[in-house]
Amino acid sequence: MDSQCVSTLPRVCGVLLESGSSLPDDTSLEKLLDWFTTIAQTGASLLEACPCLVDFVSKVAFNHASGSSILSFTLKLTGLIGTSEDGFKVLKECSVLKLVFNPHHWQEAGLWGDPCLRIGWIQGLKMILQHSEALSFFAQEDLIEPLLQLQTDSSLFVASAANQTLAQVLLLCQSLSSVGHNCSKNRYLEHNSVSIETTQNYSGIITRVSEYLNKSVVLKEISQLPGCQQILRLLAMLLVQVGPPLRDTLLLAVMNSLEELVTTSCSQLTVPLMDVILAANSGLRDDFVPKQRLIRLLWVMLNMKKPAIVMQAAAAVLHSHHSDPTFSAHSARVLLLPLDIVTGVSLLDENSTEEELRILITEQLKRKSCISMICVCLSNIPQITLMASDHLPCPQRLIVTAVLMLLRLCCVDSSSSSAGCVEVVRFITGNSKVQKCALEALLVLSKSPGVKMVLVDVFKVLTEYLNSPSSDPSVLQKSYQAVIKWVGVCPDLSCITDQLREGFIQAVRKRACDTRWEARDSTVEFLGHLGGAPSCRSFTEQETEPSDVFLGGCSFTVPLLKEALQDPESYVRASSISALAQTLTPSWQEGAALTQEQEDIVTRLQEVLFQDSEGFARRAAVKYFIAWLSACSSPSSCWLLMQSVPTVLSQGVNDLDWEVKLHTLELAELLLDQAFPDPSPSHPYAVMSDQAHRLHIAGQQSDLLSSLKDLVDRGVVSALLCGVVDCDRPVALKACQLLLKLRGVVCPVMGNAADTRVFCQLAEGSVMQQVRKIQAMGKDTYVVSEACSEADKEGICASVDPERVGVCEVLRLLDLDEKLSILTQSSDHIYNSPLSLLQDILTAAAASSQPGRDLHQELVMDCY
Amino acid sequence: MPEIKVTPLGAGQDVGRSCILVSIGGKNIMLDCGMHMGYNDDRRFPDFSYITQNGRLTDFLDCVIISHFHLDHCGALPYMSEMVGYDGPIYMTHPTKAICPILLEDFRKITVDKKGETNFFTSQMIKDCMKKVIPLNLHQTVQGDYNMTPDRHLGAAWIDKCRPDILISESTYATTIRDSKRCRERDFLKKVHETIERGGKVLIPVFALGRAQELCILLETFWERMNLKAPIYFSTGLTEKANHYYKLFITWTNQKIRKTFVQRNMFEFKHIKAFDRSYADNPGPMVVFATPGMLHAGQSLQIFKKWAGNDKNMVIMPGYCVQGTIGHKILNGQRKLEMEGRSTLDVKLQVEYMSFSAHADAKGIMQLIRMAEPRNMLLVHGEAAKMEFLKGKIEQEFNCYMPANGETTAVTTNPSVPVDISLNLLKREMVLGGPLPDPKKPRTMHGTLIMKENLVSSEQALKELGLNEHQLRFTCRVQLQDPHSDSDTLHRIYTHLKSVLKDYTIQHLPDGTVMVESIVIKVSSSAEDANAKVLLLSWSYQDEDLGSYLSSLLKKGLPT
């Protein structure tokens, strides 16, 4: 640990003791604890590193003057110290442990009612429960009782932490019992840390927990509901975490209560109850007696007379990936029932056992609550599709048909009528919640086998949604996503008829000028995705781009996207730029001739870079050129691209938005990589004569020189030199890395040769100041402090001829290695360093204690 | 008795991230979804696992309502919707929806820059989240920061005497009476002026949008009045965009600004110019507004480093700074700062803190409570000790609660069902001389309450209630030049529409009208100009779209 931290910590502890109440910044204590935790996790002894902590903890514990946040912090810190056995012993010896973890102590002080203190107590306790000594202490002090009381605490946070701590207690009992059990066999029990007395303690704890659970899993009156829910959550967690035989013991203890609870048919308990039953059921031996009782419980839940409970139970079964296919198949049937009833598509064969449920669900579907029931059904379709086909109640293709039918019924403009439950239609028509759920389901169903037959229907329904004036923007977005998904999984798009294409074109054209920016943006994004979708087969059996099949290709898309470049909403402008890049990429890859349209786009993008007030659009514009340069097979022959690059670089690197600057540097990196491609490695044992070597070097020098000149002419070097002194760290870091790369390639080969032939113009700014200052002082490795006075800088700059400088000289003069090491450590290393934290606590406490120095300029007084 | 349950997941007895869960009438509503800027890990976001075990928030929550655009009220929204996966409705006002993504984007850029963090929401996520937001005219009668003193750009909070079952209020300044706004403003201007006069530079790091706007208006007015020449700059496009939105939502700002707007837009500044980073080295006095507001990265930090060494300069911190930032350090009096590369920076410039915080003080909170007369009061967004004090005061008049984070407060309600009263019954009551209904003096009235659960056709309903049907029709006059007779013009219209509207029913009726669906078109000649025709269009509200379309189509004239 930093020696400065060691010397500062005692003063901080003193301040914490004196301040009494919380610090001005409520995060300081948490961060302090984080730092201590980091020290403890590295394996170092916390007490050795910070010996003053025990004294601090004792003083706080014996003196109630501290506020609840300091007390809570102290309790957690005590736990952290006690995590190691050594620390635990020290705390025990100075009687701190007993006092700190005695709830009566805090109750008598009137502090136990504060949830902040209770949280500290539980978390401290959880931290020490790592070894047998701690468990013995826990048992001897009878801490199980207060811990059990906190399981249903009025605070969600306290109850949840108490649940986890109880699980920790049981896990520790379990692991230590197994050690004790093994040791008793080899007759070395007396030498082992686990004594008989301790083993008895464990069984006492387990018995008490079992009793508690059995007593708590009850619901006699509605006021017990929150507590019962919390206990069920606890039970589910315990059953997942602990193993046999402890797991069996707990299960046997609660079995009767669980059976009784199931009979209450309380819908609010369904989810936690199912979690318990399913957690208990998984991995249980078949010969274990409660197994059959659990299976019975599961059947009871799945055959309740309340459809909402049955649906939730079925969903829980599917989510748990229950091993018994009978349950999964039954659950799938239950979940598909509402879809079957609403749409009239026969998904399920006649089954008398479900007849009663069908009647109940049909009744339910006639009420407004049908929405949530249909949504539960739809949101579980992904789980159903994961099932083996022989356990599915029907082919997946039929489910697609039913979902499409449902989508038609939900669509306001559709004239479809249901062969199923007619009453439900008035609730679901135009309901965007159902529409979104159904579209989500349709997205997943695109992977289903045999869906080619319904392809036309899918695209027809989606076109209807895209065309419908009443479609919500989020519904439109999902519809577009569904189109892309279905296009992606269907290589054969021969089914797309002219009529369907017309429908699409009409929808897209309409949505591109929707009054809602959300709809316009989704449309533009869709055009981009469609442009980037892999090619597929059309009805003429030729490879075609999906955008050609659906929208007739670039002649439709590009003008629409060009129009969107003028959109008043910056998000849409940015999306249209990205979409244009996606759409034009294939033509760039093919090296197709430039069109007037592309020239117009470039002009417009340059305007965006210069004038757009929004970073999104400017970022997208730079990315457009990156995409172009990456895709272009022969960039140097593309005059428009090469002509635009210097403008993009000079404008981009001076942008207000650091991400625009960073993308500009990525563009510079591409140019750098193209100028200096990685040389193919020569054979390590290749023999080369001196003359050949000289010629080789000379050839290299001339190649490099011309590439370097090119880079300078295109503004790459200027952009990098501008970026390296940027105030935004990521920009400076990237530029520094690229300059180092350039130095690595150029300087070893060129020596000083380049300096006489390749110059770069330095922009007015701190790089020029740095270089001039170094030149003037005649030092090679001098880093100028940015904080040097203005007069100083002016003097230096004036004394040196402000001519251009050689590239290699600049690269050598700037201490790029030192710069890189500073920039690589994020600026966070200062602000979040432990020393910074300790100093902040000291100064904040000092500032707030100074009389008359009220930072907040507030008059604190009795105002009534 | 039905209950309303309120559980703060954040802002319960603290001033961190605001996130309050309200369960009412079987619905679960989340009020605000804020972020704690003081943490760099998951602790900055509310922990939703407490309310739903399986992580499917959409199943549990019915909606999210965001009170306003400050990050401690909306900062966790993209995390919730795009990373945790909440897909339900999110409601906020139009201005909040417009400004919220700017602040989120700004904070994302600073976070990713500062930490190089990747586990944070992206630009795309902010956009996708905003696409899910449903804007509406939401009166801030729910919990949210408010101020009872009008700002220079926003009006004071008000509330109807609606006697809600529960009123959730912030209590940041629960024990404070703040000195008058005017005093604070005078003090601020004095400090800026003095620095400028002695040739120094003033740096004002800004973060919250509202604050920047208010200070700009203040300085602009002062510069105008004093005829000052020193330049004032804004460092980034952030606030330019915000100004754009303030202009757009002028109707949401206070009355004074709206009045002034008639003469000139208050947000179009004469003295305030865009900043270029090279200006920082210019000699002479200047005032610069720069982001971020806590001096921990970017432009404001760079300018601070340049100016910190000169005792003629001044930095004015107008808001909260989290621990670890330079802002926090200098506010607490640190004068030697460790910078990158183990160098140190001597802070010689003057450091000032100005509270322009957009919160009500204790008096304001009491004022609002008395306005609304709630049955129960619940305090959030404040420090526990101060809240306790205010709670004591409130309890002299109202029930009051202050749950800690994670604690649930349940209040029983007496649901009242509003019903309409028929005009006839009301008139009869007046004739009988009884007082008119007054919420303060409830009294019994005799009448029959008609409740119908079943849906019937409107014709049947009218018949049953003995009411006449009223048709609402829109009318529009379109003037066009057509040197033909009225009947010819009408026929030409018929033919034109027939060719344009292929899928519609178009009839040329013998009474001299053309009908397209419910739209009636008549032609009459203009009295002044024989060649001019006046087309009279009329349509029912069901055909509003088509009617508007036809009127604009006919305005373009008929094909020759």
Side-chain angles (χ1 to χ4, degrees), chain A residues 387-408:
Chain A
M387 289 170 62
S389 58
D390 51 337
H391 294 129
L392 274 176
C394 62
Q396 289 195 20
R397 181 179 46 78
L398 267 186
I399 303 177
V400 181
T401 309
V403 171
L404 288 174
M405 185 67 207
L406 182 70
L407 276 165
R408 283 198 189 99

Side-chain angles (χ1 to χ4, degrees), chain A residues 284-322:
Chain A
L284 215 57
R285 298 187 316 273
D286 284 340
D287 58 337
F288 184 56
V289 183
K291 174 95 178 175
Q292 294 313 313
R293 290 168 75 184
L294 279 169
I295 288 174
R296 205 170 53 240
L297 277 187
L298 209 47
W299 276 123
V300 172
M301 290 298 287
L302 287 170
N303 289 286
M304 286 266 177
K305 302 283 178 234
K306 291 187 176 174
I309 293 184
V310 178
M311 298 275 293
Q312 281 182 333
V317 170
L318 284 190
H319 278 274
S320 71
H321 305 292
H322 199 272

Side-chain angles (χ1 to χ4, degrees), chain A residues 82-95:
Chain A
T83 306
S84 72
E85 290 188 61
D86 291 345
F88 185 84
K89 270 183 199 150
V90 173
L91 289 172
K92 206 172 173 186
E93 278 161 16
C94 61
S95 319

